[in-house]
Amino acid sequence: MKTQKTAYQSSLPSNTRNKLVLRRTRKRFNPRIFLDRTIETIAIISLLFTGFAGVGATGCWGMEIATSSHYWQHQKKTCLGMMLVSFLGFLGSSLVGASFGIQRDKF
């Protein structure tokens, strides 16, 4: 990196070489970007959790059929409830993200 800077400085005329100031810009905290990324992360995690809970519910359903046990029926209902809650989390985060998008577009 240092050789690139010196090569860049040496290609300038000698009178402007001393005036060259290298500044590194600092990234500022942008609440909109933070909010967008947070909503996107919540949506992705809730969809993944919905899928995993669905696989668990399918497995419990199979075990309920194989063993005729009420234990697996309760486990299946728990997994289905978790699926419902996480899918509603996805829908909620999508709705909030869409409403922020509409506010920015000023419809």
Side-chain angles (χ1 to χ4, degrees):
M1 183 77 179
K2 203 168 206 175
T3 57
Q4 291 175 349
K5 287 182 185 177
T6 56
Y8 179 70
Q9 288 177 353
S10 64
S11 66
L12 295 173
S14 62
N15 59 351
T16 59
R17 207 178 289 165
N18 296 332
K19 296 178 184 177
L20 182 65
V21 177
L22 297 174
R23 292 187 182 176
R24 193 178 118 189
T25 59
R26 285 181 55 184
K27 288 187 177 181
R28 293 185 180 171
F29 176 74
N30 191 346
R32 285 185 182 174
I33 293 174
F34 175 74
L35 196 61
D36 286 342
R37 289 184 180 167
T38 303
I39 291 171
E40 181 182 351
T41 303
I42 290 171
I44 290 171
I45 288 173
S46 64
L47 277 179
L48 284 173
F49 190 74
T50 301
F52 288 130
V55 170
T58 305
C60 291
W61 179 52
M63 290 301 290
E64 177 189 2
I65 291 172
T67 61
S68 299
S69 172
H70 291 290
Y71 172 77
W72 292 108
Q73 185 178 12
H74 292 296
Q75 292 296 321
K76 179 183 72 174
K77 288 180 181 179
T78 303
C79 288
L80 290 174
M82 289 188 301
M83 279 180 62
L84 180 65
V85 168
S86 62
F87 187 69
L88 290 177
F90 166 73
L91 291 179
S93 64
S94 298
L95 181 66
V96 169
S99 67
F100 282 141
I102 289 173
Q103 282 180 346
R104 270 187 245 125
D105 294 338
K106 296 181 181 175
F107 282 113

